Structures are given as C-alpha cells and as structure tokens.
Amino acid sequence: MKFLHTSDWHLGRAFHRVNLLGAQAAFVDHLVAAVREHEVDALLVAGDVYDRAVPPLSAVELYDRALHRLADLGVPTVMISGNHDSARRLGVGSGLIDRAGIHLRTDPAGCADPVVLADVHGEVAFYGLPYLEPALVKDQFGAEKASHEAVLGAAMDRIRADLGGRPTGTRSVVLAHAFVTGGQASDSERDIAVGGVEAVPASVFDGVDYAALGHLHGCQTITERVRYSGSPLAYSFSEADHRKTMWLVELGAGGEIAAERIGTPVPRALGRLRGRLDDLLGDPAHTAHEDSWVEAVLTDPVRPDDPMARLATRFPHILSLGFDPEGREEEPGVSYAQRLKGRSDQEIAEDFVAHVRGGGRADEAERAVLQGAFDDVRVDDGLRETHR
C-alpha cells in the first residue's frame, strides 16, 4: 500500500503581508501531479486544512477545486480536522463527499470507524483521529482527566479495540493532529497547551503500523512509524531552514515502512539577516537573498534613518524589520518581540504578573487561576463553534 502523507495546508493564510493563495494553489497542482506520478493508493491530510474556523471564500474555493481534482483521479483521500479548522464546517457534507472517495473525519465519535482499503496483501484500516480538545471530549471518551495524553490514549484504546476485531494481518494507519514529545515546534503553530501540558508521548500510538501526524510545521521523524509531514509552505521566518516536503510511504505486507520525502514548490526563499545597516547593504555575502523574503535585525547602536526603505533598495521583498542595538545594557541581544517568541499565553501572563509586582512571581494558586482562565476561554470557543 502506497500513500502520500501531508498536513497543515492552512488555506487562506498570509505570510506577513503577502497573500499566499497563489502559492497554495501551486501546491495543490503539485500534490495532484504527485498523486498521479507516484500512483499512490491513498492521500492522507492530517489536519489544519484551513488557517481559521471561518476561512475566506477564496480559500474555500481552492479547497473545493482540490477535492474535485482528487476525486477525479479516483484515489481515496482521508482527511481530518486540526485545531485551526472548524470541525463542523469542514465536516459538512462528509456523508455525500464520502461517495466520491473523499473521507472526512471530523467527529471524534467516529475515530474507531476506519476507511478500509485493500491491496494484494490484504486490508489496511485508516483511522481518522481529528484534533481533540480535552475538556470537550474527556467525558465522551471516559478519560481520567482533561489532558491531551488522556484523551488521545482513550481514543487510541478504541482504535486498538476495533483493530483487534478485524481479520488477522490487517494493517493500520492513524491520522492524528497533536504535539508529540520530541517534535520541534516553530513560531507559526497555535499553542494547544491545556493545564500547562501539550505534548503526548509517541507511545500513545503503539499498536498501529503508521501514525500520520499534523500540527508541527517541520517535516520530522519521531520514530520510524510516527512522523510529521510538516506544512507544505513556510508560514514564519522560523521555518527558514525547513525543507518543505510530503512523505511518500510504502506499507509492506507485514507492516514494514519505507518512506521518502517528496519536495513541495517554494514560492520564494526566506532570508534572516542580522547586522548594521551599512553592512547589510554592502556585504556581498547577502547577494543570495536579494530576491528572498527577508527578515532583518539591525544592530546599529543608533537607529538609522528610514531603514526599511533603504533596505528595500537591495532587498525589495523585505517583510520584517527589527532592532537589537549593540551594547544595549538591558537584556542584550533580546528584543521585546524575541522575548515573546516561543512563549505560551500562560508564560506571558505570569511574566506580566511579575512585571506589575516589580519582580514577585505568580505563586502556585495564581498560576492555577491563570491557567484555568486560558482553558475556559479555549473551551468556550469550542462550545461556541459547536453550537453555531
């Protein structure tokens, strides 16, 4: 059984002020061509199809065209919802679309109802496990507590139970959208921490032949059988060193895994430059980035006049400009924006408490109150979406 594993399309997302719809359309073209060229038996999309719950019409139209083209190829597609998607909206019409070979799995209750495909070696069960908001599905799954590990573990128990009742030799693939321990995050993923904990161990997926993961934007191998495809496009400058790809996976007769990376189109390279303005404008080492999307951090002791316009004379596609003056005494080398990068909402709130107190950190009870407030907002957002 041969399949393509992709995820995190984020249709409708922009890169700073640049509209990426054209680049996303080029990716869809490439995807359809790859499905045809490699003669795959299935396409897997592991969540975050859209960038937000209510995507722009242009993104919905691109998604619609993609589904029609994939259906025309006659290659089954299994797709789950991610934390950026509205599960209900993405799942509208799923029963009808299912007849065209596009299998949308957006309802947690159906996680143990697989799409079953067959090759010369027998059946392969594809289980779609959409993003699970712990507080909303804890009771449904009978989980011990409202944590990612608990609800994913309970969902996987259902999947393993279903798999155990299938013919001997049935191979299995799970699509999931989660942050697995050992994965490397970037700046463009939305925080999914609950109760201060977001990561789950790879062992939660024990018992299946392959776990096709979404959420993290870098292509990563957690274990031979647990992998992230990453996003097909870069959505932050922190992804400048990523090689954007999809996984082409062959599942052998006994569940053996052979996987290779298939590159995706790059609309424009990313450049992260740092130094004094005159050096950035004159250093020939930066020639390679003259046609890149550029993030520049100036280290001049005094802020230069009109730096963005001057940089644009050499780097016409510059998108981001920061300042980190040499010799600054207070937290040298770290700008305010840099201090916030990679920090959760909880950590930022605790820093604010310390700031207004003049250094006194939030105690355990106060941290619990803050975390409870963030969890309540996340759950409330989910409930609002569910009842719309």
Side-chain angles (χ1 to χ4, degrees), residues 111-112 127-129 132 141 148-163 172-176 201-211 213:
C111 68
Y127 295 91
L129 187 53
L132 303 176
F141 283 106
H148 286 287
E149 183 174 356
V151 298
L152 270 172
M156 284 300 302
D157 285 344
R158 292 189 179 187
I159 289 171
R160 283 185 283 262
D162 179 84
L163 185 60
S172 55
V173 176
V174 169
L175 290 77
S203 60
V204 77
F205 299 107
D206 285 353
V208 297
D209 294 306
Y210 185 81
L213 301 183

Side-chain angles (χ1 to χ4, degrees), residues 173-186:
V173 176
V174 169
L175 290 77
H177 198 86
F179 189 169
V180 175
T181 303
Q184 298 297 313
S186 63

Side-chain angles (χ1 to χ4, degrees), residues 180-205:
V180 175
T181 303
Q184 298 297 313
S186 63
D187 293 341
S188 55
E189 297 119 4
R190 181 181 295 165
D191 179 30
I192 59 172
V194 173
V197 179
E198 60 182 2
V200 300
S203 60
V204 77
F205 299 107

